[in-house]
Amino acid sequence: MDLIGIIMSAGKASVNVALYTLIPIMVVMLIIMRYLENRGILDRIVHLMTPLLRPFGVTGMAIFALIQLNFVSFAAPLAALAVMEKRGISDRHIAAALAMLFAMGQGNVFYPLIPYGLHMGAAVAISIVGGLCASALTWHVVGRKLSSATLARDEDELMQEKSNTGLIAIINGAGADAIRLSLGSVPMLILSLTVVGILTQAGAIDALTRALTPLLNWLTIPTVFVLPALTKCLAGGTAYFGVLSDLIHKGMVNVHQINASAGLLIQTFDLPGVGIFLGLAPRFVRLFRFVIPGVVVGIALRAALHMWIF
């Protein structure tokens, strides 16, 4: 096994993904989001959406997190969740918000896949539908006995005070944050692609594919998705995109398959996502068992809608 060759190949692929895909897209999208936030446009959107989404158990800061996750990256809602915890938002609201976020897709995977044929409008719409389904199930059924009492400030307050920041400052600040987020994914991406390369050369991926072939054939799922699905579960969305883009370049995955699989494989309910979100507060860990059923149903709904439409 050529371990050094595997590491070098993983490093090259990771840097290419970060420099030529993630950074350009993240810079532009984060600048747009920061500008809208600074000018108070996102505030108005949140206040308009709150009455509509309140029946789903989603209000105020959770709506802000919804927008951030779908249009920026999986890391963007972390600040909103941290503020919700600091303000003493109720257990029931926190559980609904977590279920929604785990069930939805993330912008840092949606946007890089657009050049490869992902239907962005449908992907985001279905992502929101699945997230709201997860939050509603958590709010009304699984977590209905959780406390609904907010301990501190009103949740409808936004997490940041708006200032008269100039456009150049917004561009520089958002650009720096986007570059930091994109380059911050490189170590995990290199490690995950190295592990994938080792498993591939060792024959583990082929053995797993052969073992799952009867089940996948019965479900009419292409066996080529074993590798990206395993990568997604172990290393997260950015690593999944790195593996999937390589398969696309090799002609092993087509546009139809990208869109049909997006509902199941583009979400934050993976080991890195769960670890990062639950690491924000001990209370999140305690509420996690109430979150899981809603997440599973939300992702299943998204998967069914994508396969039905595409």
Side-chain angles (χ1 to χ4, degrees), residues 33 36-37 40-54 58-68 155-159 162:
M33 290 295 293
L36 295 177
E37 178 186 351
I41 297 174
L42 285 185
D43 300 31
R44 291 192 287 272
I45 292 174
V46 166
H47 285 297
L48 288 173
M49 292 176 64
T50 294
L52 299 175
L53 300 185
R54 194 181 299 276
V58 179
T59 58
M61 299 294 295
I63 297 176
F64 197 76
L66 178 154
I67 296 172
Q68 290 177 315
E155 184 184 4
D156 288 333
E157 297 178 20
L158 289 173
M159 70 180 192
K162 302 300 177 293

Side-chain angles (χ1 to χ4, degrees), residues 18 22-23 26-27 30 173-185:
L22 293 181
I23 287 181
M26 290 292 290
V27 165
L30 196 53
D177 288 343
I179 292 173
R180 177 178 53 80
L181 288 171
S182 299
L183 294 181
S185 67

Side-chain angles (χ1 to χ4, degrees), residues 55-57 92-93 95-96 99 132-148 289-295 297:
F56 298 94
R92 196 175 177 189
H93 279 101
L132 292 179
C133 173
S135 63
L137 181 64
T138 304
W139 177 261
H140 292 288
V141 181
V142 184
R144 66 185 183 280
K145 295 183 179 180
L146 293 173
S147 172
S148 301
R289 64 188 180 93
F290 298 98
V291 171
I292 296 175
V295 175
V297 171

Side-chain angles (χ1 to χ4, degrees), residues 32-304:
I32 293 173
M33 290 295 293
R34 288 285 175 82
Y35 179 81
L36 295 177
E37 178 186 351
N38 187 266
R39 293 296 179 262
I41 297 174
L42 285 185
D43 300 31
R44 291 192 287 272
I45 292 174
V46 166
H47 285 297
L48 288 173
M49 292 176 64
T50 294
L52 299 175
L53 300 185
R54 194 181 299 276
F56 298 94
V58 179
T59 58
M61 299 294 295
I63 297 176
F64 197 76
L66 178 154
I67 296 172
Q68 290 177 315
L69 181 64
N70 283 279
F71 293 98
V72 182
S73 76
F74 82 97
L78 294 177
L81 286 174
V83 173
M84 290 175 70
E85 166 64 14
K86 182 179 180 181
R87 293 179 178 177
I89 301 304
S90 72
D91 286 353
R92 196 175 177 189
H93 279 101
I94 291 287
L98 286 173
M100 176 189 70
L101 294 174
F102 281 133
M104 292 193 300
Q106 63 260 54
N108 59 298
V109 181
F110 282 152
Y111 290 109
L113 283 175
I114 293 176
Y116 296 108
L118 179 70
H119 193 294
M120 182 63 184
V124 171
I126 294 174
S127 171
I128 294 174
V129 169
L132 292 179
C133 173
S135 63
L137 181 64
T138 304
W139 177 261
H140 292 288
V141 181
V142 184
R144 66 185 183 280
K145 295 183 179 180
L146 293 173
S147 172
S148 301
T150 296
L151 303 178
R153 299 169 61 186
D154 187 356
E155 184 184 4
D156 288 333
E157 297 178 20
L158 289 173
M159 70 180 192
Q160 295 180 354
E161 298 297 331
K162 302 300 177 293
S163 62
N164 294 321
T165 306
L167 180 59
I168 299 300
I170 292 174
I171 293 173
N172 290 337
D177 288 343
I179 292 173
R180 177 178 53 80
L181 288 171
S182 299
L183 294 181
S185 67
V186 171
M188 178 60 74
L189 190 55
I190 292 175
L191 182 60
S192 62
L193 292 182
T194 299
V195 172
V196 167
I198 292 173
L199 292 176
T200 300
Q201 284 204 9
I205 300 298
D206 289 338
L208 181 61
T209 301
R210 287 194 298 271
L212 294 176
T213 294
L215 175 62
L216 295 177
N217 288 339
W218 181 69
L219 295 172
T220 67
I221 298 175
T223 56
V224 71
F225 279 100
V226 171
L227 177 58
L230 180 63
T231 304
K232 165 63 181 172
C233 293
L234 297 178
T238 304
Y240 163 75
F241 169 73
V243 171
L244 185 64
S245 61
D246 183 56
L247 294 175
I248 294 170
H249 289 145
K250 293 178 180 178
M252 300 174 67
V253 176
N254 57 41
V255 174
H256 165 73
Q257 292 170 335
I258 293 172
N259 284 283
S261 64
L264 179 63
L265 295 179
I266 303 179
Q267 27 79 10
T268 60
F269 196 56
D270 47 46
L271 287 179
V274 171
I276 291 171
F277 278 81
L278 297 189
L280 288 174
R283 182 159 64 121
F284 292 5
V285 178
R286 175 172 57 83
L287 295 174
F288 185 58
R289 64 188 180 93
F290 298 98
V291 171
I292 296 175
V295 175
V296 172
V297 171
I299 294 175
L301 175 60
R302 289 184 58 215

